[in-house]
Amino acid sequence: IIEEGPITVAPPETIKELEQAARRLAKCVQYQGAATVEYLYSMETGEYYFLELNPRLQVEHPVTEWIAEINLPASQVVVGMGIPLYNIPEIRRFYGIEHGGGYHAWKEISAVATKFDLDKAQSVKPKGHCVAVRVTSEDPDDGFKPTSGRVEELNFKSKPNVWAYFSVKSGGAIHEFSDSQFGHVFAFGESRSLAIANMVLGLKEIQIRGEIRTNVDYTVDLLNAAEYRENKIHTGWLDSRIAMRVRAERPPWYLSVVGGAL
């Protein structure tokens, strides 16, 4: 439901270990291209555990792009063309290596770029914080059961710090056999708290009207939960909220009727 970056619950030393372990894994299987290595991390013990390697560009890649200032789809294409990472200006900037800039940066860098060891290079500090939320046609009040039907209205205007895309538009529909996710919202802030605040404001401005139910109100409630804001969540946190039937607060139904009439 929610993705975010950079990592804020582990010390820099552990994050460095995660990066190095991911590189070793990619080298072991001779993998080339964009990929994501996923881990589970225990804040109590400081230990981490390998989950999986996704050999593709993931849907939440704008989170990484926003804080690292690297165009991942473009970099993936460049790597596929056989150009090494140390020749990519954005990658060099990310590791604090001279990278040039402007329209001719690619041509200038490729001619004079010197190879550097990615395993030993220290990346720059991520820029700010980014939070992503998946918008789905699931009903939180019915165990997140998928819903389908016509979408009469869907309105959202992106802002400098909040951006979103949707796979349906006003007058469209969610098919009963399609994936329940039909939108993705990304919010940026100079800090984690600002990114969360921008996301809450962005979600509240999404207007969806039709035969489907969505997780938007429920996600706003998750973002406002003290456990989430204090980074004290765990793998069973959401299940425990569902078990306790914690529901998003909504205004009385008659206010919607009155508002519509006005």
Side-chain angles (χ1 to χ4, degrees):
I1 297 179
I2 303 171
E3 296 118 357
E4 62 176 284
I7 299 172
T8 56
V9 295
E13 300 78 21
T14 300
I15 297 175
K16 187 67 175 179
E17 291 180 13
L18 295 174
E19 294 175 351
Q20 293 175 340
R23 291 197 192 96
R24 290 197 302 270
L25 174 59
K27 289 180 179 179
C28 285
V29 297
Q30 298 181 344
Y31 183 84
Q32 293 185 355
T36 301
V37 178
E38 296 185 358
Y39 302 92
L40 275 178
Y41 176 74
S42 172
M43 289 184 287
E44 288 77 16
T45 64
E47 297 179 323
Y48 55 88
Y49 307 89
F50 170 76
L51 280 180
E52 62 177 350
L53 183 149
N54 293 315
R56 54 184 167 80
L57 194 65
Q58 295 196 231
V59 294
E60 62 271 19
H61 69 85
V63 171
T64 302
E65 293 187 56
W66 219 326
I67 62 176
E69 298 183 293
I70 296 176
N71 188 324
L72 292 182
S75 299
Q76 184 180 22
V77 172
V78 171
V79 171
M81 294 167 60
I83 298 176
L85 287 174
Y86 68 82
N87 264 17
I88 302 177
E90 291 180 344
I91 299 297
R92 297 181 68 84
R93 182 207 56 75
F94 183 69
Y95 283 100
I97 309 296
E98 178 61 36
H99 61 282
Y103 181 77
H104 299 290
W106 278 92
K107 183 177 180 180
E108 295 171 356
I109 287 295
S110 62
V112 299
T114 55
K115 188 175 181 179
F116 64 94
D117 191 342
L118 290 169
D119 290 327
K120 296 180 180 179
Q122 181 65 43
S123 60
V124 299
K125 184 179 180 180
K127 173 190 173 184
H129 200 91
C130 185
V131 176
V133 164
R134 302 186 183 208
V135 180
T136 68
S137 59
E138 298 171 341
D139 185 357
D141 294 337
D142 191 16
F144 288 89
K145 180 180 179 181
T147 63
S148 60
R150 186 173 176 80
V151 179
E152 301 292 346
E153 178 186 17
L154 195 161
N155 288 320
F156 178 80
K157 293 183 179 180
S158 294
K159 299 173 180 61
N161 287 333
V162 183
W163 174 78
Y165 68 86
F166 297 90
S167 59
V168 296
K169 59 182 181 180
S170 297
I174 304 294
H175 195 276
E176 61 178 319
F177 295 117
S178 69
D179 189 276
S180 60
Q181 181 181 351
F182 65 94
H184 220 152
V185 185
F186 301 86
F188 176 80
E190 296 302 322
S191 64
R192 182 175 184 267
S193 58
L194 285 176
I196 294 173
N198 288 335
M199 174 60 76
V200 170
L201 292 175
L203 291 176
K204 287 183 176 180
E205 292 187 3
I206 298 178
Q207 298 178 354
I208 302 175
R209 182 171 56 85
E211 299 173 342
I212 64 171
R213 291 293 307 277
T214 74
N215 67 328
V216 173
D217 290 338
Y218 191 89
T219 306
V220 169
D221 190 58
L222 290 180
L223 292 169
N224 284 325
E227 298 94 335
Y228 176 76
R229 290 181 175 266
E230 297 171 5
N231 249 337
K232 295 181 179 179
I233 57 175
H234 50 79
T235 54
W237 179 64
L238 183 58
D239 288 335
S240 65
R241 287 176 62 88
I242 295 174
M244 292 186 296
R245 297 185 179 275
V246 176
R247 300 188 177 188
E249 294 184 2
R250 296 190 182 89
W253 63 269
Y254 53 79
L255 289 183
S256 299
V257 176
V258 173
L262 290 174

